[in-house]
Amino acid sequence: MNNQFVFLFDRAENGKKELLGGKGANLAEMTRIGLPVPYGFTITTAACRAYYDAGQVISPEVESQVLEALHTLEANTDKRLGDPANPLLVSVRSGAVHSMPGMMDTVLNLGMNDDTVEGMAELTNNPRFSYDSYRRFIQMFSNVVLKVDNYFFEQRLEDFREEKGYHSDTELTAEDWKKVIEAFKSIVLKHVKRTFPEDPKEQLFLTINAVFDSWNNQRAVLYRRLHNIPGHLGTAVNIQSMVFGNMGDDSGTGVAFTRNPSTGESKLYGEYLINAQGEDVVAGIRTPQPIASLKNEMPDLYQQLVETCELLENHYKDMQDIEFTVERGKLFILQTRTGKRTAQAAIRIAVEMVKEKIMDQREALLRVDPDQLDQLLHHRIDPAHKREQLAAGLPASPGAATGQVVFDADEAEALAKDGKKVILVRPETTPDDIHGIVAAQATVTSRGGMTSHAAVVARGMGKACICGCDSIKIHLESKQFIAGTATVNHGDTITIDGSTGEIFLGEIPMIEPELSDEFQILLRWADEEAKMGVRANADNPVDAEKALGFGAGGIGLCRTEHMFMDASRIPTVQSMILSETIEERKDALDQLLPIQQQDFEQIFETMQGHPITVRLLDPPLHEFLPDKEELLVDVTTLQLTDPHSSKLHEKQNLLRKVKLLEESNPMLGHRGCRLGMMHPEIYEMQVKAIFHAMSNVMDKGMDVTSEIMIPLVSHVNELKEMRQLVISIAEQVQGETGKAFDYLIGTMIETPRAALTADQIAEEADFFSFGTNDLTQTTFGFSRDDAEGKFLQHYVENDVLKRNPFVSLDQEGVGKLVERGVKLGRGTKPALKTGICGEHGGEKESIQFCFDLGMDYVSCSPFRVPSARLAAAQATIRHEQNQCLKVPQHN
């Protein structure tokens, strides 16, 4: 049985997004519900995969189905591809399963040649329109299919305008366009060594090839990596009869969002251009008019557009991004998709749609990407600071940013890799600039509108962006832009406010963000749904207070070594480490005890009775000592300059001890519970500090719950000995204070052996906390710092690994150890509390994995707590939805 690789819009089955791609599925659905969609057909993602399997060749089966669908399209429109008397012209567009705006290729006006251009001129009685459409096709086809750089065409067109004294393309006559067409054909011949193809069917299949090829172009691959879109899906191709917005003043093209994608306001938002084609709007070549102006120019059509937008939003139950064309006063809908939006807008839209009864709370929670919430938790420009506006454009994507001006995407990427903060300034951006937008703090363009490429991409990434800032004159050759009387050079620092569209010279102070009422409402809904707790990693009262403010249900990891890092404490810590005898070490520990006790008291008080997991000292002791290389330099210098000084003797003694403590592989060396086993007095001091702090806080009438965590346990006997140490100290302090303490003793599972013998370790544990940072290192067998600095990025870029395993939990490898650890541990103790405290605790896919395993909580940095709360709610909802799907249905 033959596979069906091609579906006509009115014959495609509903809900086949994986096969038809997002655009194709929506075109079919809009056709089904009766909207004015230009007729066409979709070549499926399966055809794309078959194309790559065959070595990037379209199979005869696919070719045959395309020609059959084309015949139906011709019959439906009563036009023929290549017919000079009544030519059919089509657009050929990509259509991935997941929206990838601007990342792949499109060709419009396909079917034009030297014969059909004359036929179109006669049919429309508008030669200027016909020849304008032909030059557009030559330029786009040559760039996308023949790989001729767009620069050559744009430069020739600009030269022609200057020769004629024109200010815009709309001034060119039909005769002018004929000359431009001849010039464009000469460019093709020069760069490709062949004449421009005249056969429309050759044009069609060459373009289909090119769109399939664009699935793996550099910008598409980068976009997929950024948004975790699988590379095996492929793209569909949509072939659709053309409608023309460039047929005169009663025609136009535009993009409309059903709500404001920057703020979420429930108001039609978008832009349009009269007498233009679609790429003029999204490419930022011309700065369009706001959609509200259409109400005055074409009131009836505006009302029809409003009603269509309302219909689509209610149908899809989400904010829609709609492309439309007006041809001689008639509205056509070319595309609808879920609109890219800022985090602020996503939250407001979700909450307001619940109030409007478009969706329920659970649907609203699933509409907001947890990763986006991070955008709301950072700084904005201090309104109290005096500042002088340099220039202003359109506020395309909110947020504030400061950085050095750069004019090239490659340079933005290179400087960002060196740790520089940059702002990318361009006349307009194209999809090829995506790596620069990713690397930059923000983007500014002098052309283009709120729906241009730069604006859409920046909003999707949560980056500040200003578009259409035509008051600045950019000179790419001299690497500077002029704003009024000011000249801003490459490397100068500017600050931008994407919420107002303002640009300022220099760096401007920022202030803490303010979280909206809708933000709090959404997270309250999330807490009502979530069945897994969210804690924070916090080592001091400031972070603890921040975590509590962001809604953390406790502290899942308090790293006690960070308390030792304070400059005022380092001398005492070093004295403890360098002690020659146990008595000397205890003296130093006695000095540290009240300091550490005070630290714990402050954190316990801040957390107001929420559980706190305190990890005893984990890193190797040499991390608290001076650098060996620096000591060697000091010793050598003193030997040459002051060989008899007491300071030299002191430095030599210190160097000797540092060398004694030095390890070949400190990550796998004398650290964690191994310190407690060899130097129990260190852990004794810390445990005393914890219980005395609990006692003092209890004296203030406050509840305290402490979970004492023994790090890096690999064998049950290590935990057994350390558990007894904790119990012994607890009993001692209880005897001294007369208090009964609420505490648990557990361990961090961070080695493969611990996970594999978790049933034995659980005999001595009240809880497990999975330290997935170290567990990832020990499972993969590489150091994170070395891997990320030397080869890990190469692995991800070349699909050796799907994702950085330190960012998203490696579920196939590390995840299996975590799963085994949970099952074995609970096999011994069914009520064993389990959680995760590596950085994966704030990553949505890892949170879903932890929930599915039945973990009690995840723990992450304070700033990731809101996104983790939302992800925990989504994990609960999706898990329950999946369980419902598994329940057999009975009639």
Side-chain angles (χ1 to χ4, degrees), residues 732-744:
Q732 178 186 325
V733 179
Q734 282 178 176
E736 294 171 8
T737 62
K739 303 275 194 339
F741 299 120
D742 180 9
Y743 73 97
L744 301 175

Side-chain angles (χ1 to χ4, degrees), residues 1 4 6-21 24-30 32 42 44:
M1 180 178 170
Q4 187 169 356
V6 179
F7 290 86
L8 292 153
F9 291 168
D10 58 354
R11 299 181 197 174
E13 293 179 39
N14 188 24
K16 288 199 168 185
K17 185 177 174 183
E18 295 290 324
L19 190 63
L20 300 174
N26 287 336
L27 287 167
E29 180 65 5
M30 288 192 294
R32 189 185 69 80
T42 299
T44 64

Side-chain angles (χ1 to χ4, degrees), residues 287-423:
T287 299
Q289 298 297 309
I291 202 83
S293 301
L294 191 61
K295 190 174 185 179
N296 299 323
E297 291 204 36
M298 301 179 182
D300 292 343
L301 188 131
Y302 176 80
Q303 185 57 35
Q304 186 186 351
L305 179 64
V306 169
E307 291 169 3
T308 302
C309 288
E310 288 175 356
L311 186 154
L312 285 169
E313 183 175 273
N314 280 280
H315 184 81
Y316 285 103
K317 294 189 175 184
D318 207 345
M319 184 262 275
Q320 294 297 292
D321 170 0
I322 299 161
E323 289 183 22
F324 66 92
T325 286
V326 180
E327 181 181 280
R328 291 180 167 173
K330 183 177 180 183
L331 177 68
F332 292 92
I333 306 299
L334 306 184
Q335 174 177 314
T336 191
R337 61 188 175 198
T338 300
K340 300 288 182 189
R341 66 205 81 178
T342 64
Q344 176 187 348
I347 291 168
R348 180 174 173 180
I349 290 168
V351 171
E352 289 188 354
M353 281 189 168
V354 172
K355 291 178 182 176
E356 294 164 19
K357 302 193 183 309
I358 294 174
M359 63 176 73
D360 61 27
Q361 288 185 17
R362 288 187 137 211
E363 287 177 301
L365 288 167
L366 293 174
R367 286 288 189 272
V368 181
D369 184 350
D371 291 345
Q372 275 194 301
L373 296 194
D374 186 51
Q375 298 172 21
L376 300 175
L377 306 178
H378 296 288
H379 301 87
R380 58 192 175 90
I381 287 176
D382 183 354
H385 182 78
K386 275 192 172 183
R387 56 194 186 272
E388 190 174 331
Q389 180 183 299
L390 183 69
L394 301 171
S397 183
T402 296
Q404 295 178 333
V405 171
V406 295
F407 296 91
D408 178 77
D410 292 338
E411 186 176 18
E413 183 179 51
L415 289 172
K417 283 180 179 175
D418 289 338
K420 300 280 196 317
K421 291 185 176 180
V422 299
I423 292 180

Side-chain angles (χ1 to χ4, degrees), residues 73 378 415 591 679 862 875 889:
L73 173 57
H378 296 288
L415 289 172
Q591 295 176 53
H679 301 293
Q889 302 297 311

Side-chain angles (χ1 to χ4, degrees), residues 3-8 41-44 47 61-62 65-66 69:
N3 292 316
Q4 187 169 356
F5 290 111
V6 179
F7 290 86
L8 292 153
F41 57 91
T42 299
I43 307 171
T44 64
E61 188 178 9
V62 172
Q65 291 183 30
V66 167

Side-chain angles (χ1 to χ4, degrees), residues 23 37 61 182 243 313 343 378 381 396 423 463 467 483 493 610 627 636 672 679 783 851 866 874:
K23 188 177 296 181
V37 176
E61 188 178 9
E182 289 308 311
V243 287
E313 183 175 273
H378 296 288
I381 287 176
I423 292 180
K463 300 218 176 210
C467 287
T493 297
H610 290 286
D627 181 74
T636 304
H679 301 293
S783 155
F851 180 85
Q874 291 180 347

Side-chain angles (χ1 to χ4, degrees), residues 52-204:
Y52 278 101
D53 289 343
Q56 291 174 265
V57 174
I58 294 175
S59 70
E61 188 178 9
V62 172
E63 185 175 340
S64 171
Q65 291 183 30
V66 167
L67 292 173
E68 186 180 339
L70 177 63
H71 181 71
T72 305
L73 173 57
E74 289 175 329
N76 184 281
T77 58
D78 197 26
K79 298 177 181 179
R80 300 289 177 271
L81 192 71
D83 180 357
N86 192 18
L88 170 68
L89 303 182
V90 296
S91 64
V92 183
R93 300 171 183 262
S94 61
V97 176
H98 303 282
S99 177
M100 295 171 59
M103 295 304 110
M104 289 174 291
D105 291 329
T106 292
V107 172
L108 305 180
N109 305 334
L110 189 142
M112 296 209 81
N113 57 27
D114 291 347
D115 295 326
T116 56
V117 69
E118 292 181 13
M120 283 291 292
E122 192 172 330
L123 276 172
T124 60
N125 195 28
N126 191 341
R128 188 205 170 278
F129 149 74
S130 186
Y131 285 97
D132 177 26
S133 298
Y134 191 17
R135 72 89 191 175
R136 288 171 183 270
F137 170 58
I138 293 171
Q139 181 172 348
M140 191 175 275
F141 182 93
S142 301
N143 177 244
V144 168
V145 180
L146 304 179
K147 305 304 178 190
V148 181
D149 196 308
N150 225 10
Y151 166 82
F152 299 109
F153 301 105
E154 287 296 328
Q155 191 62 51
R156 183 66 194 93
L157 187 52
E158 189 174 327
D159 291 343
F160 190 86
R161 280 194 300 261
E162 285 185 10
E163 289 165 15
K164 291 285 188 175
Y166 297 152
H167 297 288
S168 70
D169 292 351
T170 54
E171 297 176 74
L172 273 74
T173 65
E175 292 304 314
D176 290 330
W177 284 128
K178 287 179 183 179
K179 292 173 185 175
V180 171
I181 287 165
E182 289 308 311
F184 279 13
K185 286 183 176 181
S186 297
I187 290 171
V188 172
L189 185 60
K190 178 181 177 182
H191 289 276
V192 188
K193 309 303 182 198
R194 65 158 290 178
T195 57
F196 188 83
E198 294 271 326
D199 179 1
K201 286 184 180 172
E202 181 188 7
Q203 294 172 356
L204 178 63

